Every structure is written in structure tokens, then in C-alpha cells.
Amino acid sequence: MADGTRRLVILRHAKSAWPDGVPDAERPLNARGRRDAPAAGRWLRDRGEHVDAVVCSPAARTRQTWNLAAAVLSGLPAPVFDDRIYDATADALLTVVSQLPDGAGQAVLVGHNPGVTELVALLTGESPQMRTAAIAVLDLAGSWENAAPGSATLVAHATPRG
């Protein structure tokens, strides 16, 4: 990355279960999700991605996704669980991104569709499929507060599977 560039890694939660009577925010990962989330962490590790900040939806499936992905990474900061990420629009997620810590050169946002897909499109003008456990890696010039529509470049996209 060029000096002054920020890197945003957007991770959609892994596949979740739909148990009867369980509120949406409390839905856990299913067996495939528990296999795919560590694969997402391995993909990030194998690319040499460094993480300075993590913001995550407080939903059970996003927390579980990050915990399983993070287990194969090292030197991670504690995640911040931000209620604004749950069921968020692209504009709401852009606000979260613009308020990331100034000292963070690279941050991970763990969220949900359709918001994460719309955020990638808003920032980059591209529309990769953000299936469960998909990762989009974006580079933004300047500070986080300058994040705006069209301000980022999609540098990588993957859907790791366990």
C-alpha cells in the first residue's frame, strides 16, 4: 500500500442457521459457517493482511464469524461491537468507516448483506458477490474521514470455503 493509503477489509458473516424461535440477531452459525469462518481467517493470514482495528456487528453470527477467523490470525486488537452495523444501509456503514481510528492503517468491518455488498459498490463502483464468508479488500487514499462514494479501489475479493 502506498503511504497514506488505508485498507478496509469487509467480511460478510459466514453461513448462519435459522433455528425456530430464535431472534434474528441471535442466530448462530451453522456447520458450514463454522468451517468457512476459519477459512476466511486463513485467507487473510496467507495474504499477509495486518489488522489495526476491527468493527463488528453485535449479532451472534458476526461475532462467531470474527472469533473463528481471528483464531488463525495473530496480534489482533480487540473488536469493537457496533450496533450501527447490524441491519445497516451502505450509508450507515460509510459513517462507521469514516469514524474508524485515525491511527488504524488497516481495518476489518464484519457485517451483513445487503449492506456490505452495497458498501463495496458505493465505495468502489464495483459489485462483487458478497456471499456468506466473502471478503472484499479495498484501498482508500487519505484518512478514514475522507471515505466517500467512489473513493476506494477494490484490490481483492474472495469467498474462502472450509
Side-chain angles (χ1 to χ4, degrees), residues 29-127:
L29 295 181
N30 67 14
R32 188 178 106 197
R34 289 190 303 273
R35 287 189 309 269
D36 291 348
R42 287 190 297 274
W43 187 88
L44 292 170
R45 181 195 63 206
D46 294 348
R47 283 183 48 84
E49 298 294 349
H50 173 78
V51 179
D52 298 316
V54 179
V55 290
C56 183
S57 164
R61 59 194 179 273
T62 48
R63 285 175 175 262
Q64 290 173 346
T65 297
W66 179 247
N67 287 340
L68 290 167
V72 300
L73 301 169
S74 60
L76 296 173
V80 173
F81 297 102
D82 191 326
D83 291 332
R84 297 176 297 171
I85 299 172
Y86 179 75
D87 200 25
T89 64
D91 287 335
L93 292 173
L94 183 59
T95 298
V96 171
V97 170
S98 72
Q99 295 172 353
L100 287 166
D102 286 339
Q106 183 158 320
V108 176
L109 184 150
V110 188
H112 310 264
N113 255 353
V116 294
T117 294
E118 294 168 353
L119 178 63
V120 173
L122 180 69
L123 286 170
T124 68
E126 297 187 47
S127 299

